[in-house]
Structure formats: structure tokens, C-alpha cells
Amino acid sequence: MDRFRIGTIDVHRIEEWQGGFAAPAELFQGFTAEGWQPLEQGFVPDYYDPGSGRLYAFLQSWVLDTGAVRILFDTGAGDDKERPNLPVFHRLKTGFLDRLAAAGFQPGDIDVVVCSHIHVDHVGWNTRLVDGRWQATFPNARYVLPLADRDYWDPLIPRGPANPIGQAVNAGMFDDSVRPIMAAGRAEWAGDGFEVAPGITLSACPGHTPGSMTMEVRSGGQVAMFVGDVVHHPAQIHRPEWNSIFCEDPDQARATRRAVLGRAADSQALLVPAHFGGAHVARVLRDGRGFRPVLPR
């Protein structure tokens, strides 16, 4: 699923990184072996590596080409970023822009950048290092970011993150990947109902971060939901009560996840999460009082 269509809109997947990330018991709050074991074999090999005991994850962005506008959804971890508290994303050299070019796009071709939320692995390619300074990677784009996350993560605003894990792994992120966009006058702050383009709308989905947003795309009778980190892994479709350790408001994150999965199931939407392996997308079906994923192979 490196390329697909939603009605008349072409969607291109741009990979930045892939690899083993964390053991299930390390990533999921509320994890139980009893809840995991019946699911494990169905996740091998695309979503879980039994040899290492780690979940398999991707960093990936999505270019939506409507014919009138080109939208880049989420921008990964970025190159050259100082991330000592998250070594897997520390000082990366990923070839992301080469893969963007291979899909047919140069940085100057992007009209709109949308960040589902402000976290280290979703805003990184907002900027790149040029002559020792962080500059906007996409020089012709307006950058749409969640207003509530600005107020939460900007270290110049006296409101500190409540989650110490989030505070540690996101240290420095705002200053190298968001503030330069603000200084260049390219930041556009969004909330619930923001229209990115005709048929493409943002919805507030707080919990993982205060400003987390999903992007719903409707075209030609088809629906897709780009959900960022509302769902990190297919296990959370089976077990929506399992948060990631990076969720800022655990109770809200659980409620939001259930609501988003319900909307995806009821609208028969294609679910496009940020970090899925396999075909990188899923369908969601109701299963009694819960849900189950349909994962293309």
C-alpha cells in the first residue's frame, strides 16, 4: 500500500524508518500477557518479531495529491535532530527526502504540511539543518499544527507536560522543529473542524496529546481516516484500553481511541495510522462490544 486512491485523491506513502521499537509490555500501559498471547501469532512477522520480542514499527508520512493541492501528513523524526533520550531517533540519517523524490515530489512541491500532533516523531522533517540553522524543509508550504499542542509543548509557555516520559523524549523538539516554522510565519494553528482542503477535515482527538487530530478524507464515496497515534499498533484495535506510555492523558486517550475506532467501523473508513507495518493500513470491524482489525497482507 505504498500508493492508493481515495476517490479521486492519490495517496503516496513515504517511509522514513522501520525497525523493532519496544516489547509489548514496555509500550502498552495496561498490558497483560493474557490479553496479548491470543493475538501474538497473528502479528508475526509484519507487526511483531518473536525473535527479539519487539513490536515492529515504521515512521512514515503520506502525500495526498488532490490535483489542486499536495498535502504532506506528518513529518517523522527528521535528520540530525538531537534526541539523546530516545536513541532510536537520535541524529538520524534516513534518506527521507530521496524517497519523497522517488515518489515524484520535491520539497517545493508540497503546498500544505499537516502534523497530527506535536511529538518528536511527527514534526521532525518540518525543518532541516542548513548552514547550522533549522529552516523549513518545505519552502512553499503552510504548516497546519494543533493549537492545543502549542500551548502544551512550547517551553516558553508556563505549562509543563504532565507525563515525565513524554517530557524526556520530546526534549528540544519544539525548538528545532516547530519554533523555526513559527519564526518564518508559516505556522497555521488549527482546532476541531479545520478544513485543510475540500473534503479533507481535521477532528480533535485529545488524549495522546491535548491537541491530537485525525484527518478525515472523503472523495468519490470513499472515506479514509489518518489517525496519527490514536492507534500505534493493531493490538490496540483488539484492546483499545491499552495506551502507549507516551499518552499524556490516559483516560482521555482510551475514550478517544474507542470513539475513533467506532467511527472508522461505522463509516467503513480505511484506517491509516502513523506506525503500522504490513500494508500500513487497516479496516475496523465491530466485534460484540469491541473491535477487531482487518489487516491487508
Side-chain angles (χ1 to χ4, degrees):
M1 294 290 283
D2 287 344
R3 182 174 180 178
F4 58 93
R5 302 197 92 196
I6 307 162
T8 62
I9 298 173
D10 288 320
V11 181
H12 304 257
R13 187 183 75 91
I14 314 298
E15 183 178 313
E16 183 183 23
W17 174 92
Q18 61 171 290
F21 184 72
E26 296 171 342
L27 180 64
F28 297 129
Q29 288 181 334
F31 172 88
T32 65
E34 294 78 11
W36 171 260
Q37 287 169 354
L39 307 175
E40 179 180 294
Q41 192 56 43
F43 296 145
V44 177
D46 293 333
Y47 306 93
Y48 177 69
D49 175 17
S52 67
R54 290 179 172 268
L55 301 170
Y56 206 78
F58 282 72
L59 295 185
Q60 51 207 350
S61 302
W62 306 88
V63 176
L64 288 77
D65 188 348
T66 72
V69 64
R70 290 167 169 173
I71 301 161
L72 179 67
F73 186 78
D74 278 340
T75 65
D79 278 4
D80 303 308
K81 302 292 170 87
E82 296 287 330
R83 304 290 185 248
N85 296 326
L86 195 60
V88 70
F89 300 146
H90 183 53
R91 298 179 180 174
L92 289 178
K93 296 287 188 183
T94 63
F96 175 80
L97 294 182
D98 292 336
R99 285 188 283 278
L100 182 70
F105 305 100
Q106 296 297 322
D109 297 332
I110 303 301
D111 301 299
V112 186
V113 173
V114 177
C115 295
S116 63
H117 61 292
I118 296 179
H119 260 178
V120 62
D121 54 333
H122 292 261
V123 299
W125 275 105
N126 285 0
T127 60
R128 56 178 165 176
L129 199 59
V130 178
D131 296 329
R133 299 182 62 185
W134 296 111
Q135 297 185 9
T137 304
F138 307 100
N140 299 319
R142 57 190 178 100
Y143 286 69
V144 177
L145 303 112
L147 177 61
D149 275 0
R150 182 199 68 183
D151 296 342
Y152 193 74
W153 288 109
D154 188 344
L156 300 183
I157 296 175
R159 179 188 294 176
N163 180 351
I165 296 174
Q167 187 170 17
V169 301
N170 288 288
M173 164 271 299
F174 198 94
D175 285 332
D176 62 34
S177 298
V178 179
R179 198 175 308 285
I181 302 304
M182 297 167 62
R186 295 196 168 275
E188 189 168 346
W189 299 102
D192 189 46
F194 184 95
E195 185 180 74
V196 179
I200 302 177
T201 306
L202 302 180
S203 296
C205 292
H208 183 63
T209 68
S212 286
M213 301 184 294
T214 60
M215 186 171 74
E216 186 171 294
V217 181
R218 293 180 175 269
S219 176
Q222 298 181 352
V223 184
M225 294 172 62
F226 292 76
V227 298
D229 282 358
V230 172
V231 181
H232 280 80
H233 187 274
Q236 292 174 289
I237 300 177
H238 291 282
R239 308 281 184 254
E241 68 275 16
W242 290 2
N243 282 331
S244 84
I245 60 172
F246 305 109
C247 290
E248 298 296 322
D249 185 334
D251 289 341
Q252 181 65 69
R254 293 184 191 98
T256 290
R257 189 172 305 109
R258 289 184 184 277
V260 168
L261 293 174
R263 291 207 308 271
D266 294 344
S267 65
Q268 300 181 333
L270 184 69
L271 194 77
V272 188
H275 301 299
F276 273 27
H280 313 288
V281 299
R283 300 281 182 180
V284 180
L285 300 179
R286 289 192 179 272
D287 188 11
R289 299 178 64 182
F291 308 94
R292 60 182 175 88
V294 177
L295 302 170
R297 295 291 185 178

